[in-house]
Amino acid sequence: MLSKITSGLIRILCLIFIVGIIGTASLGFITDGKKFAILMIIGFAVFLGLFLLAAEKLSDFKHKWFWLCLIGLGLILRVAYAFTTNVEVLSDQLTCLDAAQMVAKGDYSWAETDPYFVRWAYQIPFVLYEGFILKLFGTIRALYVCNGIFSILTCLLIYLIAKEMFGSKTALITTAVFSCFPVFIFSISRLYNQIISGVFLLLAIYFFVKICKGSMFEEPRKGFLKILLFSAVTGLFLGISNLFRTEAIIAVLAVECWFIYFFIVNAKKKMIGVMILRSLLCMAAVYACYKVVSVSTDAAIKLSGISQYGICNGCVYWFIVCGLDRETYGAYSRNYKYIVLEEPAQQRETFKKILKEFFGAGIPNLGKFFALKEAKMWGQFNECTAFNESWNVPKGVVLAFDAVNHGFYLLVTLLAAFSLRKKRFEPATAFLFIMFLGFSLSFMIKEISPRYRYTTIMLLMLLAANTIDYLSEKKPITSKISSWRGNHG
């Protein structure tokens, strides 16, 4: 009974978020006008057609199709765009780039003289990475090319994870379409740290899915040692991911929650002692390896003399306060800039006061806030659509690309929703949904820009693979199309 309640609760919570995403994003479509809505529907139809075409063409499982899609449609598009891009670097990306250019010259003074890095020292590993690339190649274009490589690695990992979960055929279909998703191509012209962080997050997911696919509590001792090793590797990659963007702690918590979920669902009285011990060992291995990466990097930064602050977050409250700003509906603003200048103790007091005011606004106001924040955050892609400024791309073309992105995203979200069906809710799918819940909650509370959907979109793509797998088995639509062709050919 408890296992059914736990599984059902996860599915209900995820469904609420997915329905919210679809509903409020649709509200965003409507407010952008009829032309945008029509283009979005066209984009939806185009990617639905691509899914169906991929399902038909890849039905015989030919690896050459995968490499053609991945390299031909993925890598070439990304590298070509990387070599022609010339998008203005702004905001914190410019701050990090300026510091990276100093690193390339052997100057690390920025780490303790620039207030930005004193308050948000966790950006230092990303700056060191950029500085290393600039020192090797001497041009910012090398960073875009590296982004393209990391982006194609994302596609490859989507393939490997989907293959581990559902088999080669489903993985081919999923990757073939995902490699064409415009946002993941155009985002390489932005110096986003989540592009790199996302690769290591997917590596962690890949090894953890291997755990999900096994019988953790029934394996003999030697088999369990392999599971324990995979737990450690998962934690290691989550730790590296966290060095580039500090959100991997959400994934760590999702992993720990999955072990609890799996324990509840598979609880057997005769093995209760072994199950508890193994669960605790795996949970400890994930967290310990995750923490080792963070602690050792922090110590290395301090001992090297780069920064006495290590990689700490000196103003953790600012993001949450901005993310809950009722005036901007959680978007970035300067309304709370004064918090950054306060001492830690004063920051906590200000945070408590603002939080009390926010939740004291009443349920109707809170509901309106989260609905509109979701509409703004999930219903906008223009920030990710970055064209070469020398191309002078007409606004209509930009609008069309944004609409196509919307169409793709809406399709993937609907496919992900279908995988909530009880029969498709296997341990690996449950893990991805638990992680999706964690990132969705975080997004609704503390994130302040649409670009932070990057991770959530990857998770939804993997969940959509569950439905793609179901459709590729049944093939109700493709079979009907083939039958219609035969009768009317």
Side-chain angles (χ1 to χ4, degrees):
M1 178 62 73
L2 184 59
S3 65
K4 290 182 178 179
I5 292 172
T6 305
S7 180
L9 183 61
I10 292 171
R11 297 208 308 275
I12 289 169
L13 288 173
C14 287
L15 186 61
I16 289 171
F17 268 96
I18 285 176
V19 169
I21 290 170
I22 294 171
T24 53
S26 298
L27 178 64
F29 303 151
I30 295 168
T31 56
D32 281 329
K34 291 182 180 178
K35 184 185 291 185
F36 187 88
I38 292 170
L39 289 170
M40 182 273 295
I41 293 169
I42 292 172
F44 181 93
V46 166
F47 278 101
L48 178 60
L50 279 173
F51 271 112
L52 294 175
L53 182 63
E56 186 176 348
K57 293 297 183 183
L58 300 176
S59 59
D60 296 328
F61 175 46
K62 295 177 180 178
H63 270 94
K64 66 178 183 180
W65 276 98
F66 168 67
W67 297 115
L68 180 64
C69 292
L70 186 64
I71 298 175
L73 297 177
L75 186 59
I76 292 175
L77 283 173
R78 284 162 173 78
V79 172
Y81 185 68
F83 273 104
T84 57
T85 193
N86 183 30
V87 178
E88 185 181 2
V89 182
L90 301 170
S91 189
D92 56 335
Q93 298 169 52
L94 180 59
T95 303
C96 290
L97 179 61
D98 288 340
Q101 289 172 334
M102 294 175 71
V103 169
K105 298 175 183 177
D107 184 356
Y108 298 91
S109 60
W110 49 271
E112 293 195 349
T113 58
D114 190 325
Y116 177 86
F117 294 105
V118 172
R119 298 187 191 103
W120 292 299
Y122 63 81
Q123 292 278 30
I124 291 176
F126 178 61
V127 171
L128 294 178
Y129 153 77
E130 288 191 317
F132 175 72
I133 299 299
L134 289 175
K135 189 171 184 177
L136 279 179
F137 301 101
T139 172
I140 187 176
R141 202 169 298 283
L143 294 174
Y144 298 138
V145 173
C146 287
N147 278 351
I149 293 170
F150 277 110
S151 182
I152 209 66
L153 285 175
T154 299
C155 296
L156 179 59
L157 286 166
I158 290 287
Y159 169 78
L160 292 174
I161 296 168
K163 182 182 177 182
E164 189 70 30
M165 292 177 68
F166 309 112
S168 300
K169 179 182 172 182
T170 297
L172 286 167
I173 297 168
T174 304
T175 311
V177 180
F178 181 75
S179 64
C180 303
F181 187 23
V183 156
F184 281 84
I185 296 173
F186 287 113
S187 62
I188 66 172
S189 64
R190 301 290 193 188
L191 301 181
Y192 294 153
N193 48 14
Q194 58 260 41
I195 295 174
I196 306 167
S197 174
V199 169
F200 291 103
L201 178 66
L202 287 175
L203 277 167
I205 291 174
Y206 172 71
F207 281 97
F208 198 76
V209 163
K210 284 181 173 290
I211 296 174
C212 295
K213 296 295 287 183
S215 302
M216 186 175 70
F217 301 130
E218 297 176 2
E219 290 281 357
R221 186 175 297 176
K222 288 184 179 179
F224 175 69
L225 289 176
K226 185 178 180 181
I227 290 172
L228 195 61
L229 175 63
F230 283 160
S231 297
V233 173
T234 298
L236 177 68
F237 282 123
L238 287 177
I240 298 172
S241 174
N242 204 62
L243 294 179
F244 291 95
R245 173 153 172 74
T246 56
E247 61 180 5
I249 185 61
I250 301 168
V252 172
L253 292 173
V255 167
E256 311 293 24
C257 287
W258 182 86
F259 279 118
I260 296 170
Y261 161 81
F262 194 70
F263 172 79
I264 292 171
V265 171
N266 295 275
K268 296 177 182 177
K269 290 183 179 179
K270 63 179 181 179
M271 294 181 63
I272 197 74
V274 174
M275 291 167 71
I276 291 173
L277 178 61
R278 289 189 171 189
S279 295
L280 290 175
L281 284 173
C282 288
M283 292 167 73
V286 172
Y287 184 75
C289 290
Y290 161 80
K291 202 65 181 174
V292 162
V293 174
S294 176
V295 171
S296 59
T297 304
D298 184 79
I301 295 293
K302 290 176 179 177
L303 290 173
S304 65
I306 293 174
S307 173
Q308 61 179 312
Y309 306 103
I311 53 172
C312 68
N313 186 345
C315 194
V316 68
Y317 302 111
W318 181 81
F319 289 99
I320 300 175
V321 169
C322 279
L324 297 177
D325 185 358
R326 288 202 301 273
E327 184 180 322
T328 63
Y329 292 104
Y332 170 78
S333 73
R334 295 180 176 271
N335 292 348
Y336 299 100
K337 190 177 179 180
Y338 65 90
I339 295 176
V340 178
L341 305 175
E342 293 178 342
E343 293 297 320
Q346 184 60 42
Q347 283 183 19
R348 283 192 293 272
E349 292 303 315
T350 304
F351 173 72
K352 290 177 184 178
K353 180 183 175 182
I354 293 172
L355 214 60
K356 187 176 180 181
E357 291 174 356
F358 176 81
F359 286 105
I363 293 177
N365 287 327
L366 290 177
K368 179 183 177 183
F369 169 82
F370 285 116
L372 288 174
K373 178 172 182 178
E374 204 164 352
K376 288 175 178 291
M377 290 295 190
W378 296 99
Q380 293 180 357
F381 271 91
N382 56 318
E383 184 179 329
C384 293
T385 306
F387 289 94
N388 187 323
E389 292 168 357
S390 63
W391 293 351
N392 295 319
V393 177
K395 290 183 179 180
V397 175
V398 177
L399 181 72
F401 268 96
D402 285 338
V404 168
N405 282 321
H406 277 298
F408 177 90
Y409 188 58
L410 185 59
L411 175 62
V412 169
T413 308
L414 288 169
L415 291 173
F418 189 80
S419 62
L420 281 166
R421 291 171 69 247
K422 187 177 181 179
K423 290 182 179 179
R424 308 293 299 183
F425 204 73
E426 298 174 350
T429 304
F431 164 63
L432 292 175
F433 267 119
I434 291 170
M435 188 174 285
F436 166 76
L437 263 180
F439 279 102
S440 295
L441 284 167
S442 169
F443 193 85
M444 291 307 296
I445 293 172
K446 74 178 187 69
E447 300 300 8
I448 58 175
S449 171
R451 65 184 164 106
Y452 298 126
R453 291 162 307 191
Y454 194 92
T455 301
T456 317
I457 294 174
M458 292 191 301
L459 290 172
L460 284 173
M461 190 70 233
L462 288 171
L463 289 166
N466 188 314
T467 304
I468 294 167
D469 182 62
Y470 170 79
L471 294 175
S472 65
E473 289 174 358
K474 304 293 181 180
K475 292 200 295 185
I477 300 175
T478 50
S479 296
K480 289 179 181 179
I481 292 172
S482 299
S483 176
W484 184 88
R485 284 178 179 173
N487 294 329
H488 296 82

